[in-house]
Structures are given as structure tokens and as C-alpha cells.
Amino acid sequence: MRSENIYGEQMPAGSGASAGNAIYEAFGISEKVVSICREAEKEVSPRFAAIDEIAELNTLKVVKAMQDCQISEACMLETTGYGYNDIGRDRLEEVYAKIFKTEDALVRSQIVCGTHALALALFGNTRPGDEIFSPVGMPYDTLQSVIGINEARGSLKEYGVSFSYADLLPDGGFDFDGIRAGIKANTKLVEIQRSRGYSERRSFSVGEIGELIKFIRGVKPDVYIMVDNCYGEYTELIEPSEVGADIVVGSLIKNPGGGIAPVGGYIAGRTECIENCAARLTAPGLYKEVGPSLGNNRLLYQGTFLAPTVTAAAEKSAVLASAVFEKLGFKCSPASDEVRHDIIEALTLSDPAKVISFCKGIQKAAAVDHFAAPEPAPMPGYESDIIMAAGCFISGSSIELSADGPLREPYNVFFQGGLSYPHGKLGIMMGVQELVNDGLLKL
Ligand SMILES: *Cc1c(COP(=O)(O)O)cnc(C)c1O
């Protein structure tokens, strides 16, 4: 006996859409929600081939880098204490330098998150009297405390480092006149955020970042250019360090950790810049020589190895989320037919109750902590209350299926992750179902 699945393909009896519906039903997902999601999936699935191709080429790039660095079983071993001569740690940094095509890299589990990595890069590469300039509007929420835009003990502002920025144009493009005017004699470092963060603006392609860097070099050739690469890694074939950035920075519990890295951050860039960062992470004189890998080397390697395909799974999930929510009449950014440059999908739900409800649904799809109910709360480094849904293997990991957003106008919820596409899809269905169950959405 054979039956046809929704794509009209032959499937063995007992499998396919009808059997599939039963397991979705076990999650409390109605047939209507399943069919809406499957229809949306059918519309966007032709886009998946391009995402898979990028994952294929990036996987090869990673494997080649590991081979070129002679990664061996010995690299998986741990060191303790000072961590002198940790070949696994040192080689991993070489691997990162090859992947990002930079002179050097700092990849450490002692870097506790993306904000910490970015803070190291900012503190390390500026001195009192210098100015940091952002040509793409206000930086990510947590950096506002680091810089001292929000009063915070120990901020760059306390050390005499100032900050200025140029907003993007109303159409989301770069304001070249404003940027030229904003770069001054004491501008030491330019910070470009690739991804949207919790803002309305779109993310930038590596090509666009390259254009921007060229322009900035024309205005001030010797300025350090740093890219906040969070959520952008492996979504394209090249990284911002290949179009002129001196420093690229990100978190290992996002794309580049592949869902396996238990903690960590990376900074890849020019030798001088990396040494500046190492001086802040450890101490001047010690630099990269110290820092035990403890038991983390294998996990960081394995995560690096899986990162391109895990990023692709998250991207496909984001594309599906946009297609489903467009069908339901919500504004989504990027739109389902737009090219993506990061894994974030902003769904404009325009109602705090809907944001909370969707996040509850995402939480219910988790393999870990599915029974918890997320609630909005203040978070360190963020100005508004934040709701975060994440049932994670790695606490707070946002390459895993997650949804979050600040409870503020226009009530966007940011959907990201899914270590696998089927899990991303389950999350989207659970999110929609929760909105229906809470009486906030009629199908
Ligand atoms: C996640 C993120 C960061 C850093 O956040 P952490 O939670 O500290 O890892 C910085 N910038 C952007 C754009 C981000 O998305």
C-alpha cells in the first residue's frame, strides 16, 4: 500500500501527511494550523536550495581550514590552570583565522558572551580621548551600557572614550554625508552592526558592509573598523573580514558555535587588534599565552564543524516563519521572498499579548523546559522588559529555537534558531496554535 503525501509524492503506507498529522496532534496542533504551515512551506521551499548550497560550501571551507591546521585527536584534550601550550586552543584560533581570512583570532570559553567579546574589542582598541563611531544608528542594546550611552559603572565613557553615531536614512540606507561629518580627528574605531538586533532596521549583506567600509577608509584610512557579526556568520559565503573589516566579533552560543559550544566568544582580525583584545581578556604581557581550555576544545571544534548546516536550519526556519505569518496577515521582516543576511526574523505582532502568547508557544515546542512559561522581566543590559522563550540545551543559546523581544512599540517578536529545521517548524506551529488558543488569532 502506498499513499500520496501533500507534495503528490509516493510514500509507503503508514507514513506521510496523515501519520504526520497524528504526531502534530499529540502536540495539540490543530489540522488547520498544520495545513497553513504546510502550504506556506510549499511556497517557500524552493528557496531552501540556495540556503543549502551556502551551507555546503561553508562546510567545506570549515573542513579545509581544520585540515590545513592539522587538527588531530590531541587537539581535543583539555588543559587546566594557566593553560600554557594548549595546542587545541591555539589551533582552533588558527582555524578561525583561516575561516575568517584574518591574521589572527581569539576564540575562548573565557569570553562569556557576545557582549563581552564586543566589550573586549572596544576597550582593547581605544584609549582615553578616542571616539567610537557607529555609521548604522544606535548599537545593540547591551552595548549601550558598555559604551556609557546608558549610565553604567565601568563603561567606556568613564575611561574617557566618547561615542557618536549617524542614523540610517529613512529607507534603511547609509547616510554617507552624515557619516563623513561624524568621523572626526579622534575617531579611533568604527563599529558596524551587521544584524538588526532588536531594532526595526534590516540587516546588511557583506557586500553592503564592504561598500560602507570603502567609503569610511576614504574619509579616514587609519581608523579601526569593527563589525558586530552576531547572527550573521555563515549566512553568506564570505564574512565582513573579507571586505576590509579589521575586527569581526561574535558569540559562540549563536551561529558559529553550531549549538554545541557550551559558552564562548570569538574575535578575528588583524594581529595588532587581536593582541589589544587579548591584553584586556587576560593581562598585558600574558596576552593569548594563558587561558585553559578546560574540557571545551572538542565542543568548540565540533560546534565549528556543524555551524554552517545549523545556521542553514535556522535560516530555513526563519523563512518559514515569515511565510506563515505573512499568510496570517502580519508584517514580517525580512519578507518571505527577501534575501537574508542573518538568522533573525522580526514578526510585527503589534500587541504585547500576542508577543507573550507566541513566546509561550515557542517554549512549549522545546525539548528541554517545555513546561516553563516565559514572562516579561527586566534583563541586565536592556532598557525595557524582555520576554524570552528558550528551552535550551545550552542556557540562553539563541541558535537554538527561541523567540524574544522587548515589550515596547511596535511589539515585534524576534524569532530565531532551530538546531534542525523540523524543530524550527514545530516551534512556528506551536506559536500559531498558542495565539489561536489564547483567542488572539482566528483562522
Ligand atoms: C546577541 C547580540 C549581541 C551580544 O549579545 P550576548 O547576548 O551578550 O551574546 C550583540 N550584538 C548583536 C547584534 C546581537 O545580536
Side-chain angles (χ1 to χ4, degrees):
M1 274 271 293
R2 297 178 86 80
S3 64
E4 291 218 325
N5 72 2
I6 50 148
Y7 303 121
E9 295 157 343
Q10 293 280 308
M11 313 243 330
S15 65
S18 54
N21 283 352
I23 186 76
Y24 281 117
E25 211 180 298
F27 279 93
I29 303 167
S30 72
E31 244 174 75
K32 182 91 192 165
V33 171
V34 171
S35 84
I36 286 171
C37 290
R38 286 206 166 126
E39 252 171 66
E41 182 180 49
K42 211 165 158 183
E43 284 166 23
V44 291
S45 59
R47 292 198 49 204
F48 292 175
I51 295 172
D52 286 333
E53 192 182 343
I54 291 174
E56 176 181 335
L57 297 174
N58 280 334
T59 297
L60 298 192
K61 172 163 80 175
V62 167
V63 172
K64 188 75 173 66
M66 289 192 182
Q67 291 185 353
D68 289 348
C69 293
Q70 299 284 317
I71 301 312
S72 67
E73 195 177 348
C75 297
M76 309 301 141
L77 301 177
E78 71 170 65
T79 57
T80 55
Y82 293 106
Y84 290 130
N85 305 313
D86 186 322
I87 68 153
R89 177 199 67 203
D90 293 347
R91 294 256 176 98
L92 181 65
E93 291 177 339
E94 284 174 37
V95 167
Y96 263 70
K98 282 206 192 301
I99 292 170
F100 287 90
K101 311 233 171 13
T102 55
E103 292 171 357
D104 201 358
L106 193 59
V107 186
R108 300 287 169 118
S109 33
Q110 281 85 11
I111 301 177
V112 297
C113 61
T115 304
H116 186 199
L118 289 156
L120 291 171
L122 294 173
F123 273 97
N125 289 287
T126 55
R127 298 291 179 270
D130 289 343
E131 183 151 293
I132 294 168
F133 177 72
S134 164
V136 296
M138 282 289 248
Y140 187 74
D141 298 56
T142 57
L143 289 187
Q144 299 186 16
S145 303
V146 173
I147 292 167
I149 300 165
N150 304 330
E151 283 305 318
R153 188 187 297 277
S155 71
L156 282 154
K157 191 174 157 199
E158 283 190 357
Y159 287 86
V161 175
S162 57
F163 170 78
S164 71
Y165 68 100
D167 260 325
L168 294 168
L169 295 172
D171 70 356
F174 304 126
D175 173 10
F176 289 108
D177 291 336
I179 293 169
R180 187 183 293 108
I183 297 174
K184 303 179 209 131
N186 68 334
T187 303
K188 180 67 170 294
L189 185 147
V190 172
E191 199 238 339
I192 302 170
Q193 184 181 309
R194 178 172 174 183
S195 164
R196 63 188 316 146
Y198 284 147
S199 73
E200 279 281 276
R201 77 155 171 88
R202 63 192 184 83
S203 56
F204 300 117
S205 70
V206 174
E208 287 172 299
I209 291 172
E211 289 301 307
L212 178 57
I213 290 175
K214 215 149 102 199
F215 178 82
I216 292 164
R217 293 261 182 246
V219 178
K220 196 167 199 277
D222 62 345
V223 76
Y224 287 142
I225 299 181
M226 177 189 114
V227 173
D228 175 351
N229 210 21
C230 281
Y231 288 131
E233 298 92 349
Y234 303 116
T235 58
E236 297 186 42
L237 293 175
I238 56 170
E239 298 292 340
S241 37
E242 294 171 70
V243 294
D246 298 301
I247 318 163
V248 292
V249 185
S251 162
L252 297 194
I253 63 168
K254 295 181 179 174
N255 310 16
I260 304 288
V263 64
Y266 77 89
I267 306 172
R270 286 175 39 205
T271 307
E272 165 193 336
C273 300
I274 297 302
E275 191 148 276
N276 280 331
C277 298
R280 295 296 309 200
L281 176 64
T282 64
L286 303 183
Y287 305 113
K288 291 175 69 183
E289 300 290 310
V290 295
S293 57
L294 305 170
N296 291 331
N297 276 342
R298 179 179 58 78
L299 298 169
L300 299 201
Y301 277 110
Q302 221 169 341
T304 304
F305 171 75
L306 288 174
T309 45
V310 169
T311 300
E315 264 193 279
K316 287 190 243 178
S317 303
V319 171
L320 180 64
S322 64
V324 168
F325 277 81
E326 279 174 4
K327 260 191 186 311
L328 298 173
F330 295 96
K331 186 177 146 273
C332 301
S333 176
S336 62
D337 57 357
E338 250 177 279
V339 180
R340 315 186 55 88
H341 310 295
D342 64 17
I343 65 163
I344 309 288
E345 186 61 43
L347 311 172
T348 305
L349 301 183
S350 307
D351 174 356
K354 287 183 179 146
V355 169
I356 295 168
S357 179
F358 178 79
C359 288
K360 273 165 49 197
I362 292 293
Q363 187 77 35
K364 286 184 180 176
V368 179
D369 284 339
H370 81 281
F371 44 80
E375 279 180 26
M379 291 271 301
Y382 295 88
E383 283 287 274
S384 354
D385 278 7
I386 306 270
I387 183 160
M388 292 195 163
C392 287
F393 295 99
I394 306 295
S395 181
S397 165
S398 48
I399 186 65
E400 297 189 41
L401 177 66
S402 50
D404 40 53
L407 268 287
R408 68 180 181 220
E409 294 277 356
Y411 298 105
N412 282 329
V413 69
F414 297 86
F415 170 92
Q416 66 263 314
L419 295 184
S420 69
Y421 173 70
H423 195 221
K425 181 170 157 184
L426 173 67
I428 294 159
M429 288 190 189
M430 295 292 278
V432 173
Q433 187 65 54
E434 196 71 15
L435 286 162
V436 172
N437 294 353
D438 286 346
L440 299 167
L441 183 68
K442 294 233 177 325
L443 300 180

